[in-house]
Amino acid sequence: MALFSAKSLTFLVLLISIPVGIIISLERAQPATHVYHYHSTGFFRECAKWDSDNNRFIVSYFEGGVGQIPVVPAGGEAVLEEVTVVREPELAGNASLGMVIDRSRNRILVVNADVLGNRYGALAAYDLSTWNRLFLTPLTRTGDEKSFADDVAVDAEGNAYVTDVKGSKIWKVGVDGELLSIIRNPLFTPKEWYKTFFGLNGIVYHPDGFLIVIHTFSGNLFKIDLAKGEEVKIIKVEGGPLYFGDGLELLSPNKLVVAGSPSGRLVESADGWDTASVVATFSGPKHRLATAATVKDGKVYLNHMLGMGYPKKKHAIVEAVF
């Protein structure tokens, strides 16, 4: 019995040491593209968006809250520092997830959700200069079906659209925070039951007046025409489906970045997003898990969820070169 226990212990140590060794090797490898590293107090950062007016990244905390990462000019390869700007006691226990900067109104919209229980979701808006909260809109009520609010986009009028990754629907919230309606469509639910576990996820607003949304497990990309009664169509993607797609970001009106696995895919359309093609892919640090994309000075950067190290956790926002 003692011999068996010793062998079991040895096997367990080897089993643990192999992936740890791989991760250490990956961390020590020289990155192929530019990386912004920053120190944080948390292991998980779901989303990062570049705020060009204030020369900073804004990141959402999986444990709840929002931070900013000032980028110092000519800072070289120095590790940046995260500074907490929002911590809401009444949202304790909920994760802060997808975000979008509403530049014309000088505000940022942040999705909050009960990740484990799927019983609460809300959209908050904050002033980008003062970080005062402008509104907090609950998306769920007692007795509602389980849901998982995840990502958000904002249209030209200031209306916000929040995806439900569990229920595959979209909440529409007005410019002042009023819950207006819910967008549902049979196309959002794939026929295969095993593709329904993780549904509508990343979302962006296109300047031509429609939404582009990704369904993570089916890999489907949807076009929702707001001018045509929220008409929903599946975008036919050559080189798709876009399995395991997460955050979305428009690089230009005809180019879309899909973060996820692989780290980044560049999708291009020549017909107003009736059809599209995967034209390039980028492979970043897979062990850190790319979850969101943003554009800084015309370059694409991917937020990676997992931080490494202790007590300070070092996170990476990685340039994706396609």
Side-chain angles (χ1 to χ4, degrees):
M1 181 64 70
L3 181 61
F4 176 78
S5 298
K7 286 183 177 179
S8 299
L9 181 59
T10 301
F11 177 75
L12 182 61
V13 170
L14 287 172
L15 196 64
I16 294 172
S17 64
I18 290 172
V20 170
I22 292 172
I23 290 173
I24 291 173
S25 175
L26 290 170
E27 280 294 293
R28 289 178 174 175
Q30 184 68 25
T33 62
H34 180 252
V35 180
Y36 286 104
H37 285 112
Y38 67 94
H39 282 141
S40 169
T41 57
F43 279 111
F44 303 106
R45 294 294 176 259
E46 168 69 13
C47 184
K49 294 297 178 183
W50 174 246
D51 178 9
S52 57
D53 285 2
N54 297 289
N55 206 50
R56 63 189 175 184
F57 287 102
I58 300 175
V59 294
S60 60
Y61 297 1
F62 206 76
E63 69 271 23
V66 177
Q68 65 179 5
I69 306 161
V71 175
V72 181
E77 299 302 316
V79 178
L80 305 174
E81 296 294 330
E82 173 189 275
V83 179
T84 299
V85 291
V86 172
R87 186 78 80 176
E88 299 268 27
E90 64 190 282
L91 290 174
N94 294 288
S96 297
L97 302 169
M99 304 183 297
V100 64
I101 292 176
D102 185 3
R103 180 65 59 201
S104 63
R105 296 168 187 83
N106 193 46
R107 64 180 186 169
I108 188 168
L109 305 177
V110 183
V111 177
N112 297 274
D114 170 17
V115 172
L116 297 179
N118 302 147
R119 291 299 187 186
Y120 180 79
L123 180 67
Y126 301 95
D127 185 280
L128 281 169
S129 300
T130 64
W131 290 107
N132 290 334
R133 192 174 78 191
L134 304 176
F135 65 74
L136 176 64
T137 302
L139 303 172
T140 53
R141 298 174 297 180
T142 302
D144 282 356
E145 63 181 353
K146 286 191 174 185
S147 61
F148 187 164
D150 187 75
D151 201 10
V152 58
V154 62
D155 68 18
E157 286 73 43
N159 299 307
Y161 301 84
V162 181
T163 55
D164 176 6
V165 78
K166 185 172 182 63
S168 284
K169 61 180 181 288
I170 299 170
W171 292 279
K172 181 178 180 179
V173 178
V175 64
D176 295 318
E178 63 277 23
L179 181 59
L180 298 177
S181 61
I182 298 176
I183 302 173
R184 302 177 188 267
N185 193 283
L187 291 176
F188 293 157
T189 305
K191 295 178 181 178
E192 302 89 343
W193 63 269
Y194 54 88
K195 292 182 179 179
T196 63
F197 291 119
F198 219 79
L200 296 185
N201 196 334
I203 184 170
V204 292
Y205 173 74
H206 193 281
D208 287 344
F210 54 86
L211 302 170
I212 300 175
V213 192
I214 195 164
H215 188 288
T216 295
F217 270 16
S218 73
N220 286 332
L221 200 62
F222 298 99
K223 176 181 178 179
I224 304 173
D225 197 326
L226 302 177
K228 295 182 179 179
E230 298 168 351
E231 176 188 74
V232 178
K233 292 182 178 179
I234 295 178
I235 300 171
K236 297 179 181 179
V237 180
E238 183 180 348
L242 301 169
Y243 292 124
F244 306 114
D246 196 341
L248 304 181
E249 186 80 357
L250 282 172
L251 181 57
S252 71
N254 66 328
K255 292 182 180 179
L256 177 75
V257 178
V258 181
S261 181
S263 303
R265 282 167 281 192
L266 183 62
V267 183
E268 191 168 339
S269 175
D271 60 5
W273 294 97
D274 290 329
T275 64
S277 301
V278 177
V279 296
T281 60
F282 171 78
S283 183
K286 296 180 179 63
H287 62 294
R288 285 183 175 269
L289 186 60
T291 54
T294 191
V295 177
K296 177 185 183 295
D297 302 327
K299 299 177 181 179
V300 176
Y301 282 85
L302 301 178
N303 174 77
H304 287 73
M305 175 180 275
L306 185 60
M308 300 287 177
Y310 187 84
K312 285 187 175 182
K313 293 79 178 174
K314 189 167 76 170
H315 286 263
I317 301 174
V318 180
E319 182 186 359
V321 177
F322 296 103

